[in-house]
Amino acid sequence: MRVFGGIEAGGTKFVCGYGTGPQDLQAETQFPTTSPQETINRAVDFFRQQPEPIRALGIGSFGPLDLDPDSPAYGSITTTPKPGWQNTPLTAALQQALAVPVLIDTDVNAAALGEHHWGAAEGLDAIIYVTVGTGIGGGAIAAGKRLHGRTHPEMGHVRIPHDMTEDPFEGICPFHGDCLEGLASGPAIRARWGQAAETLPAGHPAWALEAAYLGDGLANLILTLSPQRVILGGGVMQAPGLLPLVRARVKLRLGGYLTIPEITEDLDAFIVQPALGVKSGVLGAIALAQEALEE
Ligand code: ADP
Ligand code: ZN
């Protein structure tokens, strides 16, 4: 029996899973992301405690990441603003400690892969997975493969319309101010309204504004990447009633231009929640591990 390890490496917490898929996730743990050394050691300990040695490891990580196979820093976290984590050779450290093949991708590409294998995007070969949480990020499967470029897409940092009269909030992205993430991430909501997103009731003006930003951002992604389905995850999307508002805004912004039935007839099935819930990332990491072994 081949068993795999998966790590969803987040800026707030690490989630580790041991198993072969959603029906066979035999062990799982999570712990806060502290220093790189302490956090990596905890992950290594978790896998070493399991009954069988893992055959390969997959990592879905926060970034930015060096994903250039020819780079000496391949698999490292690079210019993150997270203190202590700049230039952390995450992949190399885990590969050395566990001595198995390791495959890394962005957290959102891993989540997209998990949903593609076992969730809301089974059988599709063009999808986008966007998370709206502490940050905003997007992953994609294009032509059946995880989408990469020179590095990896950074879908949360695109600029969208921002009317300073209607919303005089400058945005919180340290790089761009009012990019999509700077305007619509969980911490942006908190900074604008002075309270955490989960405490803002349905019907609060925060939600119409949030849906407008997310819908504008998604419409741009849909026009750019032409997905068969869009999966929207992350803590902020738990807000009751937000998803339908986002769908309505996407429809408005697409302006009737795209005439595929997925959009004109069944928008509810086109923009969906993750079927794997909060486990898309860690299961996607296990799917990456399976790929690592096949390579
Ligand atoms: P991360 O992005 O760090 O992986 P999450 O996806 O859980 O974490 O997102 C955390 C963000 O989601 C926080 O900014 C929090 O305020 C927000 N959030 C969590 N639960 C809810 C909720 N029920 N409604 C709205 N926002 C929420
Ligand atoms: Zn930005």
Side-chain angles (χ1 to χ4, degrees), residues 15 26 29 40-41 83 96 138 152 159 162 183 207 236 269-270 284:
V15 182
Q26 299 172 38
T29 191
I40 291 168
N41 285 347
Q96 229 163 20
H152 51 78
R159 180 160 295 273
H162 176 201
L183 288 174
W207 296 117
V236 174
F270 181 66

Side-chain angles (χ1 to χ4, degrees), residues 1 25 78 158 267 275:
M1 185 64 190
L25 193 54
T78 60
V158 295
L267 199 61

Side-chain angles (χ1 to χ4, degrees), residues 156-157 173 175-177 179 181-182:
H157 292 275
C173 177
F175 299 93
H176 317 111
C179 66
E181 176 172 301

Side-chain angles (χ1 to χ4, degrees), residues 8 10-13 107 131-135 185-190 196-200 207 233-240 242:
E8 183 187 3
T12 311
K13 64 178 190 293
D107 43 9
T131 184
V132 188
T134 306
S185 62
I189 297 172
R190 175 184 255 287
E198 55 270 39
T199 68
L200 293 165
W207 296 117
V236 174
M237 291 311 303
Q238 311 271 328
L242 178 59

Side-chain angles (χ1 to χ4, degrees), residues 98 123 134 145 188 254:
L98 294 165
T134 306
K145 294 172 78 171
L254 292 177

Side-chain angles (χ1 to χ4, degrees), residues 82-133:
K82 189 169 171 61
W85 282 81
Q86 290 86 10
N87 306 313
T88 297
L90 183 62
T91 307
L94 286 159
Q95 207 275 326
Q96 229 163 20
L98 294 165
V100 292
V102 182
L103 192 56
I104 188 168
D105 206 333
T106 58
D107 43 9
V108 277
N109 256 2
L113 186 69
E115 290 291 328
H116 176 257
H117 268 53
W118 297 302
E122 269 185 81
L124 304 181
D125 58 16
I127 63 152
I128 308 175
Y129 179 100
V130 173
T131 184
V132 188

Side-chain angles (χ1 to χ4, degrees), residues 10-222:
T12 311
K13 64 178 190 293
F14 268 45
V15 182
C16 302
Y18 167 84
T20 59
Q23 312 311 329
D24 177 48
L25 193 54
Q26 299 172 38
E28 217 190 324
T29 191
Q30 46 175 281
F31 39 86
T33 309
T34 55
S35 70
Q37 184 161 20
E38 182 181 40
T39 313
I40 291 168
N41 285 347
R42 286 184 82 164
V44 169
D45 288 346
F46 167 78
F47 293 115
R48 286 191 178 143
Q49 280 157 17
Q50 301 310 321
E52 296 287 326
I54 57 169
R55 294 288 298 274
L57 177 71
I59 311 168
S61 180
F62 72 103
L65 300 171
D66 186 333
L67 294 180
D68 176 356
D70 297 327
S71 161
Y74 172 78
S76 297
I77 294 172
T78 60
T79 54
T80 177
K82 189 169 171 61
W85 282 81
Q86 290 86 10
N87 306 313
T88 297
L90 183 62
T91 307
L94 286 159
Q95 207 275 326
Q96 229 163 20
L98 294 165
V100 292
V102 182
L103 192 56
I104 188 168
D105 206 333
T106 58
D107 43 9
V108 277
N109 256 2
L113 186 69
E115 290 291 328
H116 176 257
H117 268 53
W118 297 302
E122 269 185 81
L124 304 181
D125 58 16
I127 63 152
I128 308 175
Y129 179 100
V130 173
T131 184
V132 188
T134 306
I136 296 183
I141 306 279
K145 294 172 78 171
R146 291 172 286 113
L147 182 67
H148 292 135
R150 174 64 181 82
T151 60
H152 51 78
E154 286 284 1
M155 303 183 197
H157 292 275
V158 295
R159 180 160 295 273
I160 49 163
H162 176 201
D163 180 343
M164 282 298 265
T165 327
E166 190 196 347
D167 175 27
F169 175 69
E170 293 195 335
I172 57 154
C173 177
F175 299 93
H176 317 111
D178 60 348
C179 66
L180 179 59
E181 176 172 301
L183 288 174
S185 62
I189 297 172
R190 175 184 255 287
R192 180 188 292 105
W193 301 102
Q195 59 187 102
E198 55 270 39
T199 68
L200 293 165
H204 189 284
W207 296 117
L209 190 65
E210 179 71 7
Y213 292 143
L214 294 177
D216 287 2
L218 284 179
N220 289 345
L221 295 174
I222 291 163

